[in-house]
């Protein structure tokens, strides 16, 4: 089953902001730029990296995954107090600022934190870049996909060290959150904890993984031992055997 999202075109570049660096993704390849004690993220260093890797693009999408996010109904959102929506679950660090994406078509606002110094470098390199949180890129097509479906659907977006859960009934978002996970047992614990909290019996909801990737094979098998109504969206995938930390967004922009 296919989501309504698109792959990168030949002239597009997506930059995934990750917890330990940046993934520069084109239509044909992904190149990781690590950030550590010996490799900093400044204009000169990144500009040299781009030249060395021959990364050329007319359209640039920056996708934030390093920081947490929350989803707020648009009618309840006050842009003058955006930090409030993060305050219960996230403590902003000194080098972070609040940002938000307004999803007008779906009456939702995704609030998150970003790093101004990082964005300053990226905007200097790519003045016309478009920036969003990964939650925004997933919320829109998942809402569209869920429209007209009365049965509850639980969407699981797997990534290295974490996963995101979206629970929909029709176009209504009932629940969203992100969880850290370092192994299959942790993943299953949090997943089934949420199903219990929402009284989701196996026969009354569909569980959909975003993509199907070899690196998460054990996670899929663990779920299928307890829940049989499982589907994979956008599968089979061209990058099924990828080692990218966020395989579903490796070569796509939703």
């Amino acid at each position: 089953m296919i989501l309504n999202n698109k792959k990168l075109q030949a002239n597009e570049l997506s930059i995934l902001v990750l917890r330990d660096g940046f993934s520069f993704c084109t239509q044909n390849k992904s190149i990781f730029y690590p950030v550590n004690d010996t490799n900093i993220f400044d204009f000169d260093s990144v500009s040299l990296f781009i030249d060395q890797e021959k990364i050329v693009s007319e359209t640039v999408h920056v996708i934030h995954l390093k920081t947490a996010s929350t989803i707020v109904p648009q009618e309840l959102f006050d842009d003058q107090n955006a930090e409030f929506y993060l305050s219960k679950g996230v403590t902003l660090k000194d080098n972070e600022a609040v940002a938000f994406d307004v999803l007008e078509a779906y009456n939702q606002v995704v609030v998150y934190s970003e790093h101004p110094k990082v964005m300053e470098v990226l905007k200097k390199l790519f003045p016309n870049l478009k920036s969003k949180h990964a939650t925004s890129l997933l919320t829109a097509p998942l809402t569209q996909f869920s429209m007209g479906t009365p049965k509850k659907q639980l969407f699981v977006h797997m990534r290295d060290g974490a996963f995101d859960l979206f629970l929909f009934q029709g176009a209504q978002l009932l629940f969203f959150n992100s969880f850290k996970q370092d192994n299959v047992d942790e993943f299953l614990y949090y997943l089934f904890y949420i199903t219990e909290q929402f009284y989701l019996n196996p026969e009354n909801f569909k569980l959909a993984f975003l993509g199907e990737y070899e690196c998460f094979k054990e996670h899929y098998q663990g779920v299928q031992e307890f829940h049989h109504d499982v589907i994979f969206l956008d599968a089979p995938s061209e990058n099924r055997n990828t080692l990218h930390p966020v395989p579903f967004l490796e070569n796509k922009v939703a």
Side-chain angles (χ1 to χ4, degrees):
M1 302 181 73
I2 306 299
L3 278 179
N4 183 24
N5 57 359
K6 69 184 186 71
K7 293 185 178 181
L8 290 168
Q9 301 303 302
N11 62 341
E12 288 184 305
L13 168 71
S14 68
I15 305 172
L16 277 61
V17 183
L18 307 173
R19 58 184 177 179
D20 55 352
F22 300 79
S23 180
F24 288 73
C25 304
T26 67
Q27 187 182 56
N28 300 314
K29 63 180 180 179
S30 300
I31 308 162
F32 186 65
Y33 183 97
V35 176
N36 49 46
D37 293 339
T38 59
N39 198 42
I40 62 174
F41 192 86
D42 62 16
F43 177 83
D44 292 335
S45 301
V46 180
S47 182
L48 178 60
F49 168 80
I50 290 171
D51 290 340
Q52 289 175 338
E53 298 293 343
K54 297 180 173 59
I55 299 174
V56 179
S57 179
E58 297 177 10
T59 305
V60 178
H61 308 270
V62 176
I63 303 174
H64 298 275
L65 287 127
K66 181 177 182 178
T67 56
S69 65
T70 188
I71 302 175
V72 182
Q74 189 173 358
E75 62 270 19
L76 301 179
F77 180 71
D78 176 7
D79 60 359
Q80 299 300 311
N81 294 290
E83 185 175 340
F84 166 78
Y85 304 100
L86 287 176
S87 61
K88 292 186 178 181
V90 178
T91 300
L92 289 179
K93 299 177 182 178
D94 292 338
N95 62 343
E96 294 180 342
V98 177
F100 56 87
D101 305 327
V102 179
L103 308 181
E104 290 275 2
Y106 307 105
N107 300 313
Q108 303 280 12
V109 180
V110 176
V111 187
Y112 58 98
S113 61
E114 65 178 17
H115 296 79
K117 290 185 178 180
V118 167
M119 293 307 299
E120 182 180 343
V121 171
L122 292 176
K123 287 178 181 178
K124 191 174 180 180
L125 289 164
F126 308 104
N128 297 318
L129 65 79
K130 301 175 183 178
S131 175
K132 283 188 177 181
H133 198 277
T135 301
S136 301
L137 298 181
L138 296 174
T139 300
L142 290 178
T143 304
Q144 185 73 31
F145 183 86
S146 301
M147 287 181 177
T149 305
K151 190 173 185 178
K152 291 178 181 176
Q153 298 187 89
L154 184 62
F155 298 95
V156 186
H157 173 228
M158 299 296 307
R159 47 197 174 97
D160 182 38
F163 68 102
D164 309 302
L165 285 184
F166 299 79
L167 177 62
F168 280 89
Q169 185 165 24
Q172 183 180 4
L173 178 64
L174 303 178
F175 173 81
F176 162 75
N177 208 344
S178 301
F179 302 87
K180 293 183 179 180
Q181 63 88 22
D182 292 317
N183 53 59
V184 176
D185 288 340
E186 283 188 358
F187 165 68
L188 293 175
Y189 171 81
Y190 288 117
L191 176 66
F192 289 115
Y193 173 78
I194 294 303
T195 63
E196 289 176 1
Q197 291 298 302
F198 283 87
Y199 303 101
L200 298 177
N201 296 320
E203 63 273 9
N204 66 12
F205 80 100
K206 184 183 297 291
L207 193 151
F209 284 101
L210 306 191
E212 184 177 9
Y213 306 98
E214 190 64 27
C215 57
F216 297 123
K217 182 178 180 179
E218 293 183 1
H219 295 74
Y220 307 145
Q221 291 174 340
V223 170
Q224 289 171 321
E225 288 183 14
F226 302 97
H227 189 76
H228 301 295
D229 195 357
V230 175
I231 61 174
F232 296 90
L233 301 181
D234 276 20
S237 173
E238 295 176 1
N239 63 334
R240 181 185 177 92
N241 295 311
T242 183
L243 297 178
H244 193 277
V246 194
F248 186 72
L249 293 178
E250 180 179 9
N251 61 355
K252 295 178 185 173
V253 176

